[in-house]
Amino acid sequence: MLCMLQNLDILIRHDAIQKRVKELAQEIEKNYQGRPLVVVGVLKGAFIFMADLVRHIEMPLACDFLRVSSYNKDRSTGVVRMDFDMTQPIVGKDVLLVEDIVDSGRTLSYLLKHMETKKPSSLKVCSFLYKETGAGMRARVDYIGFDVPDRYVVGYGLDSEGLYRSLPYVGAFKE
Ligand code: IMP
Ligand code: MG
């Protein structure tokens, strides 16, 4: 733990994350007013955020997951590949897509196109983090946990070459 801390600047502390996740859940709950919801998490990055988020949304909801890869050794390849898709149809359902981070926006663009073909009655996006890199996807993200600077961040689900997902805070490697 100590050596991880030495290499990382902590950007968002655990208690700040918990507070914000509760706020997002309340906002989501209010906006859907008891309409049953399908929450779709994008693996692997969203698994911790989604687990915390759904436990604060006090209404009936279903959880599903899909997995895409777009990164190759922490560098965007620009190519998004679907590794596996959801297990339940979403036609006519209110769907909330849950992402760990929107960076270049390529993954999100790909996923929105993919999900729209399945004809949900509504499709909203909740991203734990938003990195402003000029991609202009902000308007398409309905709920944003935190804005982060243009640095590589890890923790609370986000990895670097498969590691650091389990950190309870968000950190950025010291430059
Ligand atoms: P985008 O397609 O460039 O928006 O990137 C989306 C995906 O890349 C996210 O779902 C993450 O898995 C990964 N990613 C982008 N930036 C970071 C970062 O700073 N840390 C960890 N993963 C990242
Ligand atoms: Mg990743």
Side-chain angles (χ1 to χ4, degrees):
M1 199 59 161
L2 197 63
C3 94
M4 282 190 199
L5 283 172
Q6 281 168 350
N7 290 320
L8 288 173
D9 293 324
I10 298 183
L11 299 187
I12 314 168
R13 310 198 77 91
H14 180 66
D15 52 351
I17 295 175
Q18 292 309 312
K19 182 166 171 274
R20 184 71 188 123
V21 170
K22 261 183 227 165
E23 286 171 3
L24 287 171
Q26 279 161 8
E27 227 182 292
I28 290 164
E29 204 180 300
K30 204 173 81 200
N31 292 353
Y32 287 93
Q33 306 265 357
R35 269 159 38 224
L37 184 62
V38 183
V39 182
V40 178
V42 183
L43 294 174
K44 298 174 188 172
F47 84 112
I48 290 181
F49 173 51
M50 178 159 152
D52 281 346
L53 184 72
V54 292
R55 282 182 288 176
H56 291 295
I57 305 176
E58 292 179 22
M59 51 181 267
L61 58 82
C63 296
D64 209 339
F65 298 93
L66 49 75
R67 171 154 164 84
V68 290
S69 0
S70 61
Y71 263 63
N72 185 7
K73 282 213 171 180
D74 297 348
R75 300 237 162 258
S76 176
T77 58
V79 179
V80 183
R81 191 186 66 205
M82 168 82 51
D83 293 334
F84 57 80
D85 203 349
M86 299 170 289
T87 58
Q88 300 291 316
I90 55 166
V91 57
K93 302 263 171 91
D94 288 308
V95 175
L96 180 68
L97 185 69
V98 177
E99 263 278 25
D100 56 353
I101 186 167
V102 176
D103 181 355
S104 74
R106 281 192 201 97
T107 307
L108 183 58
S109 305
Y110 172 91
L111 284 173
L112 288 173
K113 267 188 223 130
H114 172 77
M115 308 280 285
E116 295 288 7
T117 64
K118 296 174 185 273
K119 305 269 181 257
S121 85
S122 72
L123 176 58
K124 291 198 178 207
V125 179
C126 176
S127 185
F128 172 53
L129 301 177
Y130 185 84
K131 199 192 279 186
E132 189 53 83
T133 48
M137 286 299 281
R138 199 185 179 90
R140 200 53 195 83
V141 189
D142 303 276
Y143 308 94
I144 294 176
F146 297 91
D147 286 276
V148 286
D150 190 6
R151 293 175 66 182
Y152 199 83
V153 295
V154 294
Y156 200 66
L158 291 106
D159 74 305
S160 172
E161 296 185 36
L163 301 177
Y164 306 104
R165 291 192 201 277
S166 57
L167 294 178
Y169 52 82
V170 172
F173 291 106
K174 290 193 200 300
E175 277 150 10

